[in-house]
Amino acid sequence: MLEQDTGLSLAIAQIVQRLKGSSLHSQLERQARGSLHKPEIKLDSLKEDIKEFLKTSGLFPSPCHPAAPPEHMKEPLVYMRKAQGSWEKRILKSLNSMCTELSIPLARKRPIGEQKELLNKWNEMGTDEPDLSLFRPVYAPKDFLEVLMNLRNPNYENGDQPSFRNHLGLIQVPLKVKDIPELRDYFSELGLNTGQLGIDDSTQVPPELFENEHVRVGQTVLTEQDSAAAQQYVRQGCPTALRAELWALILNISNQPEDILYYEQLKSNVIQHDLLVDSLIYKDVKLTASNDDYYFVFEDYLYQVLLCFSRDTSVLEHFSYSSATPPKSYIRGKLGLEEYAVFYPPNALSQLNSFIISVAPLCFLYHEPSKLYQIFREMYVRFFFRLHSISSHPSGIVSLCLLFETLLQTHLPQLFYHLREIGAQPLRISFKWMVRAFSGYLATDQLLLLWDRILGYNSLEILAVLAAAVFAFRAVNLMEVTSLAAAEAVLADLSTLKVMPLLQIFLFATVT
Amino acid sequence: MAGKVKWVTDIEKSVLINNFEKRGWIQVAENEDWNFYWMSVQTIRNVFSVETGYRLSDDQIVNHFPNHYELTRKDLMVKNIKRYRKELEKEGSPLAEKDENGKYIYLDFVPVTFMLPADYNLFVEEFRKNPSSTWIMKPCGKAQGKGIFLINKLSQIKKWSRDSKTSSFVSQSSKEAYVISLYINNPLLIGGKKFDLRLYVLVSTYRPLRCYMYKLGFCRFCTVKYTPSTSELDNMFVHLTNVAIQKHGDDYNHIHGGKWTVSNLRLYLESTRGKEVTSKLFDEIHWIIVQSLKAVAPVMNNDKHCFECYGYDIIIDDKLKPWLIEVNASPSLTSSTANDRILKYNLINDTLNIAVPNSDIPDCKWNKSPPKEALGNYEILYDEEMAQSDGADRDLRSRSGQSIGLKGYRARDSGKPVLTTWK
């Protein structure tokens, strides 16, 4: 009985916590205040009455098993958790030593003059060029790949010698990944008999066959504001004019006044405090997006979004289901004092490159900063964070790498073996594509079609499938190369690829 | 007489020379027998001038029309468009319809422009109607943004006033003539920056008008955020999109060169503004290009030895209305980035495929109707002959084949069937 009670109280407390600050909360409060004046409500026994009511209403069925410990929600496999933990330690150490070397504090409060200046320049931070030469990236993709390659499950003994029957790739952990029949089933809407945007909207196909109807359905979905229907709909691709709204619908972003206010608050945090990662972010944007043919136009938006993101503590919530843990830092001189702890930019530490590049395509859809920010944040906490933390989740980077290697080894064994022989393990090339969700490699319209499917299937597995499809497409050329550098050259330019035909051919039109 | 095409050029650009060589053409000198001469605008003046000119033979083709300046000089372009509009008005054509403010509904695509010093007084009258407006001064005969400046006070152009006492200014000679246009101070901004569009249009004949639009145009962005503030009127990095200017800016990037493809622009606009307004914008752009060509067609010397590839500069304002800024007879063939080089190389390649069919010895008497396969990245923008021969409804939508259509736009507004307005 007591357990039930505490379980219920806990649940209630959690719900109240989640609702805090939302408009639903204020509505409930208003209603509650109103109800207080009703005669049936007895104030002294109010708490017990409500509990009784909730129990009998069946909303909270009594738990039968003890609840899983929170670590299991984050990541059930111990060895994965350990690996993530040591990876984080390593990054933090690197960051701390950079601070000491350069004598720059991890965080500091800006003097008023500087605050004013930054506020004035808020819309054009791209033109300011501070001296960033001493900053170096905290780590490179290949460092992360090395860590993943060295993952081993201590409970798994694979005594056999490596042979064709074993896995010849870089990832050596026994996670379950889907094979092609399962993928065909999973991605059934991408099949040859279903209309797709990215294939059936090309100029040779009369629009009456598919496109017009598809657009009409999309508009209906938007009018109905049906999020689940939208998610199903985008599996066949979004018409460009409807994409921004459809994605917002799927991600539950509505840009209410309180959201805009929240963004403004983050902005003022940026103005008031300077974090070391800001310089790292700045440097990364300059190195990547500013030089990109598609994204250079949006450079200033990227700074705004990323700097705000690094101060957004609401993102910390996702750590309850992410294998990562937010590292803490303390304002200078206040080491150990909790109220001066600044939660480090969640994963702003990790793979800064992927961040930047996963914001940039969104600039093609949203030009209002607070909406752009929210869409990005939601995409991050739903999908992109899995690309740079070590976990056993099917959409986690480890599983994606394994899926890619398995697909390639199973269906293009000759190619796989050849590349391995010349020292060009395929994952070494495709890793950087997947870890950035192909942003910066594909043409923007193709990238957006790919991300439509990520949202539609709520999974990143399509990234691994596409990577394998690209290798399959260029297989003939790849068979002729004799070095890693040459293989990289064959796969250097993906900007002319059409994503949907590649996926369709690989999944549905290849003889297995 | 079979043989290889003999070519000459006085523009030493690799994108040209590589294209000639890849066709196996033979380079010759100007005074020899040549078939194809890619000339600069100075040379074309000589070829067709009264004193130094000479007749071209049937197997000789050049890349400019003799009096291209009717379109490519800023003052003459405006003059011809004004004349064209008045003619249509006189004929009672529905195209010349005006709205309640006296503005042309379909033909208002050039900002209000005056020649200086000739129209100085007219300009002052217009200026005084809107004394807070900004105007842009451009020398008629120059390119690459040279000599351009912005004004917002009459005193800044005192020099050009006709009865000015300080008129020792050499503006009387046509070389130093200026045009002054109303500055578009509300350009469409992307990422807070101003940009313009560079589109390539190939004209193979003016009568009947046959023109092609290159699908791969691009946007040129300023490196500095746009502000209409009067304190920044002198900052050319904010206002002028010419690469020749921007590349001297602190933030100029040599990798992308501040350029976006038109398809990127289209994707962005469709995603953020919707498909209908974007399609309407692009239809309008095609429309104004064709109208500008029609305006000069009657005065153009339609020499059959000539073709021309123009560089159209267009600015879009924040109401998604396109404005024709100018037309260039010699669009730059310099490549600022790697992508640029590829684009210009392909541009010349496709141009040559249309102008010199099959890369054979040209015959200027041919009907100038290349087969569809030869178009490459060009699309038929307007073909007067085709428009006239088809009496019935013709599907001009860009989907079916390679023509660009304006059917929806016209029919909706004028209420009359398309073909009558085109004839």
Side-chain angles (χ1 to χ4, degrees), chain A residues 123-124 127 203 205 207 211 240-241 290-294 296-298 300 363-365 367 444-445, chain B residues 190-191 193 221 223 225 251 253 255-256 258-260 264 267-268 270-272 274-275 339 397 399:
Chain A
N123 285 327
E124 38 186 20
T127 46
T203 43
V205 180
E211 198 182 349
T240 41
S290 313
N291 288 333
D292 186 288
D293 288 337
Y294 297 98
F296 72 89
V297 176
F298 303 117
D300 296 322
C363 297
F364 268 86
L365 301 174
H367 50 253
T444 313
D445 62 324
Chain B
I190 299 187
K193 303 194 178 88
F221 280 86
T223 51
K225 275 245 164 23
D251 289 300
N253 181 299
I255 296 181
H256 51 69
K259 289 183 179 169
W260 241 21
N264 262 351
L267 175 66
Y268 177 80
E270 277 185 11
S271 304
T272 53
K275 195 150 192 170
N339 281 342
R397 283 168 51 222
R399 286 294 187 75

Side-chain angles (χ1 to χ4, degrees), chain B residues 151-357:
Chain B
I151 62 133
N152 59 352
K153 291 198 265 293
L154 274 180
S155 53
Q156 291 162 313
I157 51 161
K158 250 210 297 247
K159 281 199 275 196
W160 280 266
S161 98
R162 265 224 137 132
D163 32 50
S164 152
K165 295 193 179 52
T166 61
S167 189
S168 56
F169 183 64
V170 237
S171 68
Q172 307 305 326
S173 85
S174 70
K175 267 217 190 75
E176 292 296 72
Y178 272 71
V179 289
I180 185 162
S181 308
L182 187 60
Y183 185 60
I184 301 163
N185 64 356
N186 60 333
L188 176 66
L189 302 177
I190 299 187
K193 303 194 178 88
K194 176 176 166 179
F195 68 97
D196 79 344
L197 275 178
R198 162 53 61 91
L199 299 169
Y200 295 103
V201 177
L202 169 63
V203 177
S204 51
T205 147
Y206 272 98
R207 290 185 301 274
L209 179 59
R210 197 167 288 134
C211 53
Y212 307 86
M213 169 109 123
Y214 202 62
K215 286 191 255 190
L216 307 178
F218 50 89
C219 307
R220 296 175 293 208
F221 280 86
C222 291
T223 51
V224 178
K225 275 245 164 23
Y226 180 75
T227 165
S229 141
T230 43
S231 57
E232 291 289 341
L233 281 184
D234 296 328
N235 186 348
M236 288 302 116
F237 295 116
V238 170
H239 296 284
L240 297 187
T241 54
N242 311 67
V243 175
I245 303 248
Q246 293 294 332
K247 72 179 184 205
H248 298 294
D250 288 331
D251 289 300
Y252 183 72
N253 181 299
H254 291 269
I255 296 181
H256 51 69
K259 289 183 179 169
W260 241 21
T261 58
V262 164
S263 45
N264 262 351
L265 176 66
R266 200 164 188 147
L267 175 66
Y268 177 80
L269 288 177
E270 277 185 11
S271 304
T272 53
R273 303 272 196 142
K275 195 150 192 170
E276 291 79 33
V277 299
T278 307
S279 300
K280 177 161 177 277
L281 168 67
F282 281 89
D283 280 349
E284 272 185 54
I285 292 176
H286 300 152
W287 172 255
I288 67 185
I289 295 177
V290 173
Q291 290 307 307
S292 68
L293 292 171
K294 282 188 152 211
V296 300
V299 301
M300 205 51 107
N301 178 347
N302 193 30
D303 192 309
K304 52 188 190 302
H305 304 93
C306 306
F307 71 92
E308 202 154 16
C309 179
Y310 298 106
Y312 268 75
D313 290 344
I314 301 215
I315 288 199
I316 306 173
D317 72 16
D318 60 10
K319 304 199 180 24
L320 288 196
K321 180 181 162 69
W323 294 93
L324 176 58
I325 301 302
E326 67 166 345
V327 184
N328 293 287
S330 288
S332 160
L333 295 177
T334 317
S335 313
S336 51
T337 68
N339 281 342
D340 215 30
R341 187 182 312 280
I342 296 174
L343 180 131
K344 291 186 176 155
Y345 178 86
N346 287 329
L347 173 69
I348 302 295
N349 187 35
D350 292 335
T351 306
L352 293 178
N353 283 343
I354 294 181
V356 187

Side-chain angles (χ1 to χ4, degrees), chain A residues 215-235:
Chain A
V215 173
R216 209 188 49 78
V217 174
Q219 280 159 342
T220 316
V221 169
L222 280 174
T223 333
E224 303 286 310
Q225 285 289 292
D226 188 341
S227 182
Q231 198 174 336
Q232 180 67 29
Y233 173 77
V234 304
R235 292 181 180 186

Side-chain angles (χ1 to χ4, degrees), chain A residues 247-248 251-264 266 305 308-309 312 314-315 359 362 366 368-382:
Chain A
W247 284 20
L251 297 170
N252 288 323
I253 305 291
S254 49
N255 213 24
Q256 301 291 343
E258 54 253 23
D259 302 315
I260 302 180
L261 212 63
Y262 188 75
Y263 175 75
E264 290 298 319
L266 290 175
V305 168
C308 285
F309 185 75
D312 194 343
S314 73
V315 184
V359 186
L362 301 174
Y366 307 98
E368 214 255 317
S370 79
K371 191 152 190 193
L372 174 64
Y373 178 75
Q374 285 174 73
I375 295 274
F376 166 66
R377 179 179 62 182
E378 195 60 33
M379 293 281 280
Y380 181 78
V381 302
R382 279 200 201 193

